[in-house]
Amino acid sequence: MTSENETSPLEGKFLVFGAWCGVAFSVFVMAGLGLVAGFLPPHAPNADAAAIAEIYQSDFYRIRVGTVLMMFSAAPAMVFAGAMATLVSKIEGKSRVLTYTMLISGMGNALLVFYPALWWLAATFRPDRTIELTFLLNDIAWLQFVGGLFIAWPMNVVLAIAAFVETGEKRYLSRWYGYLCAWVCIILLPAQLIFFVKDGPFAWNGFLAFYFPLTVFFVWLICLVYYIRRAGKRG
Amino acid sequence: MTSADKNQPRSIPGEEGVWVFIIGDMIVFALMFGVFMYYRALNPELFASSQLNLRQDLALANTVFLLCSSWFVVLGMDSLRTVNLQKAKWAYRGAGVCGLAFVALKYVEYSEKFASGIAITTNEFYTYYFILTGIHLLHLIVGLAVLGFILQVARKPKLEDSDLRNAESGSLYWHMVDLLWIVILAIIYLV
């Protein structure tokens, strides 16, 4: 291990902070989307325009507060992206391809909570507008939130590769975590089916397109928070 | 655990981590098979009549290809362990050719469906037919890349323990792809 890869006390503190930002990111997304906006379970993709518009016309104050909270989660997500990239850079050494990919796709992860929230905010901004337009904004938001995968997906690819190529006595990632990330890469793919079906388990409110990947995403994230925090504490 | 147990060679094939992947993936497929059976129970006539339009001959040919490929993988892994690298290379190439044949037949099968106006949205049966066989095909294509990786391992002048471990993990993945196909054959094409 080269000396430039060793963790300074200051870097260790930032890594621990970055790990907690990963927790903050998920708390703000879930609290904003679920608890405040009341968007869990998701709106049915096969509901008609009138039913969807009714949600935005009646509950708009609550939806605005919840989705603003969700937009805020993009900020800790960026710090978390910085911490993820730093962890990968410690494994990668002088090469930077994995590190930069991690940083950019970590930013993609932030975009996937920022923009859907913004579309929902636009839908509530004028509760008296034509119901078809509200319907459209609702589609755009949900399709992006559940189906906008490939802008963040390289995070898992990078972590899988990093865990497999890592050598040395003091490991930053476990090899089984590399396999977990490879598995996450695959189980996220059926989310692309939400563009083809409007009901059943592969619709955007379905078990295999939404709840299951969401649960696995949190397992993935909690493990990663643990690894980043451990790398920070170790320094 | 006694000290004698600790000295026993490890009996689990591949490394522990690959089982995280394999068991996780099999759980997802089990869920999808469950979904298919659930919708079939709701609408047995539609599923039975749509199933008649599937090409069982192509599916059976593909089963033979995959069973052969698994046999090649076993042969290849055995040759790697006994450091017969030349034989190992041919065996993994054979497995790859069987895999490519599977992809080619799937292409024929899908093209026929599309040409006769059948798509993922035609009815519920075809939705799940395309989803299940499509996700399986995706796994198989990933598996071809894995076979290519093992072939690179067999090209090395000298094999380390970690090379054998990686080849074993990759071979396990290929067997999983084969196993999942057998279930798909049974529930979508035959029963």
Side-chain angles (χ1 to χ4, degrees):
Chain A
M1 187 103 14
T2 53
S3 59
E4 66 184 281
N5 273 349
E6 272 170 22
T7 311
S8 70
L10 185 62
E11 192 188 20
K13 280 181 187 157
F14 284 147
L15 274 172
V16 173
F17 176 67
W20 282 108
C21 280
V23 176
F25 155 74
S26 24
V27 168
F28 276 102
V29 173
M30 295 318 285
L33 186 75
L35 293 179
V36 184
F39 278 13
L40 290 180
H43 308 140
N46 55 4
D48 61 12
I52 293 294
E54 162 74 22
I55 297 167
Y56 291 92
Q57 284 159 358
S58 58
D59 250 357
F60 61 86
Y61 194 69
R62 190 179 158 190
I63 294 173
R64 283 178 195 165
V65 175
T67 44
V68 166
L69 282 176
M70 185 178 163
M71 272 210 306
F72 171 73
S73 71
M78 287 181 212
V79 186
F80 187 56
M84 290 191 290
T86 306
L87 183 78
V88 170
S89 76
K90 290 181 171 303
I91 295 167
E92 199 182 17
K94 277 187 178 161
S95 155
R96 281 288 178 268
V97 178
L98 293 182
T99 305
Y100 292 155
T101 310
M102 194 71 204
L103 188 63
I104 295 169
S105 52
M107 178 65 197
N109 183 47
L111 295 181
L112 287 183
V113 292
F114 182 84
Y115 280 105
L118 190 63
W119 296 117
W120 282 314
L121 278 168
T124 62
F125 189 63
R126 296 182 201 280
D128 53 346
R129 75 153 71 80
T130 332
I131 58 170
E132 273 75 20
L133 288 177
T134 302
F135 195 39
L136 172 69
L137 288 168
N138 183 66
D139 276 350
I140 294 174
W142 279 109
L143 291 174
Q144 187 171 8
F145 183 58
V146 184
L149 170 62
F150 292 112
I151 202 169
W153 188 73
M155 291 195 297
N156 293 292
V157 181
V158 166
L159 283 170
I161 295 172
F164 292 146
V165 301
E166 184 174 0
T167 52
E169 306 232 318
K170 258 187 2 176
R171 288 186 69 94
Y172 289 101
L173 296 170
S174 320
R175 278 183 70 89
W176 69 262
Y177 186 67
Y179 283 107
L180 179 83
C181 292
W183 178 61
V184 173
C185 283
I186 288 187
I187 66 142
L188 289 176
L189 292 177
Q192 298 307 291
L193 293 165
I194 68 163
F195 302 110
F196 299 90
V197 293
K198 293 191 182 64
D199 57 7
F202 294 101
W204 83 46
N205 64 346
F207 180 74
L208 287 171
F210 185 71
Y211 293 101
F212 185 66
L214 188 73
T215 311
V216 175
F217 180 81
F218 281 118
V219 173
W220 169 88
L221 188 107
I222 289 164
C223 295
L224 188 55
V225 164
Y226 165 77
Y227 287 125
I228 294 174
R229 191 172 169 277
R230 187 179 69 173
K233 290 273 182 191
R234 205 189 255 171
Chain B
M1 191 189 276
T2 64
S3 61
D5 289 332
K6 281 181 191 161
N7 294 332
Q8 291 287 317
R10 301 254 295 280
S11 56
I12 175 172
E15 59 181 302
E16 289 91 343
V18 75
W19 289 97
V20 172
F21 182 97
I22 289 179
I23 292 171
D25 220 27
M26 303 253 269
I27 289 172
V28 177
F29 268 93
L31 286 171
M32 291 195 289
F33 295 148
V35 165
F36 178 82
M37 300 308 267
Y38 173 77
Y39 282 96
R40 188 168 81 165
L42 290 184
N43 206 342
E45 292 85 20
L46 174 80
F47 275 58
S49 62
S50 306
Q51 191 182 50
L52 293 176
N53 295 326
L54 295 186
R55 288 284 303 270
Q56 293 187 345
D57 51 342
L58 292 182
L60 286 173
N62 265 340
T63 309
V64 173
F65 281 133
L66 279 195
L67 289 175
C68 289
S69 74
S70 262
W71 179 76
F72 275 125
V73 163
V74 170
L75 193 70
M77 197 58 230
D78 200 47
S79 311
L80 279 181
R81 281 201 201 93
T82 53
V83 207
N84 189 346
L85 297 186
Q86 203 55 35
K87 193 173 164 193
K89 273 186 268 187
W90 279 110
Y92 279 107
R93 279 187 200 124
V97 169
C98 289
L100 287 173
F102 182 97
V103 177
L105 284 192
K106 265 277 160 277
Y107 176 79
V108 172
E109 192 182 327
Y110 284 164
S111 306
E112 269 187 16
K113 292 280 169 293
F114 295 140
S116 57
I118 292 171
I120 190 166
T121 49
T122 301
N123 67 34
E124 219 157 48
F125 174 83
Y126 285 112
T127 302
Y128 292 109
Y129 159 77
F130 279 112
I131 288 176
L132 284 171
T133 57
I135 293 177
H136 177 265
L137 184 64
L138 187 83
H139 276 72
L140 190 126
I141 292 168
V142 172
L144 286 173
V146 170
L147 290 180
F149 165 78
I150 300 176
L151 202 55
Q152 293 303 316
V153 169
R155 288 215 175 98
K156 286 191 177 178
K158 191 174 175 301
L159 292 187
E160 309 283 338
D161 278 353
S162 64
D163 289 327
L164 276 179
R165 182 193 61 186
N166 291 340
E168 210 168 62
S169 300
S171 303
L172 280 171
Y173 175 80
W174 188 264
H175 291 314
M176 181 195 75
V177 172
D178 187 2
L179 177 69
L180 290 172
W181 171 255
I182 305 291
V183 182
I184 289 176
L185 173 80
I187 70 169
I188 295 188
Y189 289 85
L190 299 182
V191 181

